mmCIF file of all heavy atoms in Angstrom:
data_model
loop_
_atom_site.group_PDB
_atom_site.id
_atom_site.type_symbol
_atom_site.label_atom_id
_atom_site.label_comp_id
_atom_site.label_asym_id
_atom_site.label_seq_id
_atom_site.Cartn_x
_atom_site.Cartn_y
_atom_site.Cartn_z
ATOM 1 N N PRO A 296 29.926 10.747 35.529
ATOM 2 C CA PRO A 296 29.058 9.619 35.879
ATOM 3 C C PRO A 296 28.721 8.736 34.674
ATOM 4 O O PRO A 296 28.585 7.519 34.823
ATOM 5 C CB PRO A 296 27.809 10.255 36.466
ATOM 6 C CG PRO A 296 27.913 11.698 36.238
ATOM 7 C CD PRO A 296 29.315 12.021 35.899
ATOM 8 N N LEU A 297 28.610 9.339 33.485
ATOM 9 C CA LEU A 297 28.369 8.517 32.291
ATOM 10 C C LEU A 297 29.532 7.550 32.080
ATOM 11 O O LEU A 297 29.331 6.377 31.783
ATOM 12 C CB LEU A 297 28.176 9.398 31.055
ATOM 13 C CG LEU A 297 26.873 10.186 30.994
ATOM 14 C CD1 LEU A 297 26.909 11.176 29.844
ATOM 15 C CD2 LEU A 297 25.684 9.256 30.888
ATOM 16 N N LYS A 298 30.718 8.062 32.250
ATOM 17 C CA LYS A 298 31.932 7.241 32.132
ATOM 18 C C LYS A 298 31.899 6.105 33.139
ATOM 19 O O LYS A 298 32.184 4.948 32.816
ATOM 20 C CB LYS A 298 33.152 8.147 32.351
ATOM 21 C CG LYS A 298 34.483 7.501 32.296
ATOM 22 C CD LYS A 298 35.537 8.585 32.544
ATOM 23 C CE LYS A 298 36.922 8.158 32.798
ATOM 24 N NZ LYS A 298 37.301 6.830 32.865
ATOM 25 N N GLN A 299 31.512 6.414 34.364
ATOM 26 C CA GLN A 299 31.445 5.422 35.449
ATOM 27 C C GLN A 299 30.348 4.394 35.198
ATOM 28 O O GLN A 299 30.577 3.198 35.288
ATOM 29 C CB GLN A 299 31.197 6.144 36.780
ATOM 30 C CG GLN A 299 30.946 5.257 37.966
ATOM 31 C CD GLN A 299 32.203 4.641 38.514
ATOM 32 O OE1 GLN A 299 33.285 5.129 38.248
ATOM 33 N NE2 GLN A 299 32.076 3.573 39.265
ATOM 34 N N MET A 300 29.159 4.857 34.876
ATOM 35 C CA MET A 300 28.011 3.960 34.720
ATOM 36 C C MET A 300 28.170 2.994 33.554
ATOM 37 O O MET A 300 27.711 1.863 33.626
ATOM 38 C CB MET A 300 26.730 4.767 34.516
ATOM 39 C CG MET A 300 26.240 5.455 35.761
ATOM 40 S SD MET A 300 24.631 6.259 35.529
ATOM 41 C CE MET A 300 25.012 7.553 34.373
ATOM 42 N N TYR A 301 28.802 3.477 32.483
ATOM 43 C CA TYR A 301 28.929 2.644 31.286
ATOM 44 C C TYR A 301 30.321 2.038 31.139
ATOM 45 O O TYR A 301 30.627 1.433 30.120
ATOM 46 C CB TYR A 301 28.540 3.445 30.042
ATOM 47 C CG TYR A 301 27.054 3.731 30.007
ATOM 48 C CD1 TYR A 301 26.534 4.899 30.551
ATOM 49 C CD2 TYR A 301 26.173 2.807 29.466
ATOM 50 C CE1 TYR A 301 25.171 5.146 30.538
ATOM 51 C CE2 TYR A 301 24.809 3.047 29.451
ATOM 52 C CZ TYR A 301 24.316 4.217 29.985
ATOM 53 O OH TYR A 301 22.968 4.449 29.981
ATOM 54 N N ASP A 302 31.167 2.225 32.155
ATOM 55 C CA ASP A 302 32.507 1.641 32.177
ATOM 56 C C ASP A 302 33.278 1.996 30.900
ATOM 57 O O ASP A 302 33.772 1.131 30.175
ATOM 58 C CB ASP A 302 32.425 0.123 32.359
ATOM 59 C CG ASP A 302 33.749 -0.489 32.790
ATOM 60 O OD1 ASP A 302 34.590 0.255 33.340
ATOM 61 O OD2 ASP A 302 33.942 -1.690 32.565
ATOM 62 N N LEU A 303 33.377 3.304 30.638
ATOM 63 C CA LEU A 303 34.013 3.808 29.427
ATOM 64 C C LEU A 303 35.297 4.549 29.754
ATOM 65 O O LEU A 303 35.468 5.077 30.854
ATOM 66 C CB LEU A 303 33.064 4.766 28.696
ATOM 67 C CG LEU A 303 31.730 4.191 28.242
ATOM 68 C CD1 LEU A 303 30.815 5.312 27.752
ATOM 69 C CD2 LEU A 303 31.941 3.151 27.162
ATOM 70 N N SER A 304 36.173 4.627 28.782
ATOM 71 C CA SER A 304 37.373 5.457 28.899
ATOM 72 C C SER A 304 36.987 6.909 28.608
ATOM 73 O O SER A 304 35.876 7.188 28.136
ATOM 74 C CB SER A 304 38.427 4.993 27.886
ATOM 75 O OG SER A 304 37.975 5.242 26.566
ATOM 76 N N ASP A 305 37.902 7.824 28.863
ATOM 77 C CA ASP A 305 37.645 9.228 28.539
ATOM 78 C C ASP A 305 37.333 9.380 27.052
ATOM 79 O O ASP A 305 36.395 10.089 26.674
ATOM 80 C CB ASP A 305 38.854 10.099 28.902
ATOM 81 C CG ASP A 305 39.053 10.255 30.390
ATOM 82 O OD1 ASP A 305 38.170 9.857 31.175
ATOM 83 O OD2 ASP A 305 40.114 10.793 30.783
ATOM 84 N N GLU A 306 38.118 8.724 26.211
ATOM 85 C CA GLU A 306 37.915 8.818 24.765
ATOM 86 C C GLU A 306 36.556 8.251 24.369
ATOM 87 O O GLU A 306 35.829 8.831 23.563
ATOM 88 C CB GLU A 306 39.020 8.073 24.000
ATOM 89 C CG GLU A 306 40.393 8.669 24.157
ATOM 90 C CD GLU A 306 41.114 8.246 25.440
ATOM 91 O OE1 GLU A 306 40.652 7.302 26.129
ATOM 92 O OE2 GLU A 306 42.133 8.888 25.764
ATOM 93 N N SER A 307 36.201 7.108 24.939
ATOM 94 C CA SER A 307 34.944 6.443 24.579
ATOM 95 C C SER A 307 33.717 7.224 25.024
ATOM 96 O O SER A 307 32.721 7.286 24.298
ATOM 97 C CB SER A 307 34.885 5.040 25.171
ATOM 98 O OG SER A 307 35.858 4.223 24.593
ATOM 99 N N VAL A 308 33.754 7.821 26.194
ATOM 100 C CA VAL A 308 32.572 8.554 26.657
ATOM 101 C C VAL A 308 32.317 9.763 25.759
ATOM 102 O O VAL A 308 31.168 10.085 25.444
ATOM 103 C CB VAL A 308 32.662 8.951 28.156
ATOM 104 C CG1 VAL A 308 33.606 10.111 28.404
ATOM 105 C CG2 VAL A 308 31.276 9.276 28.706
ATOM 106 N N VAL A 309 33.383 10.403 25.287
ATOM 107 C CA VAL A 309 33.224 11.543 24.377
ATOM 108 C C VAL A 309 32.680 11.058 23.027
ATOM 109 O O VAL A 309 31.781 11.677 22.455
ATOM 110 C CB VAL A 309 34.564 12.295 24.214
ATOM 111 C CG1 VAL A 309 34.475 13.341 23.120
ATOM 112 C CG2 VAL A 309 34.965 12.943 25.537
#
Side-chain angles (χ1 to χ4, degrees):
L297 289 171
K298 179 180 168 358
Q299 173 77 19
M300 287 186 293
Y301 290 92
D302 197 22
L303 300 170
S304 67
D305 289 350
E306 295 82 12
S307 294
V308 75
V309 171

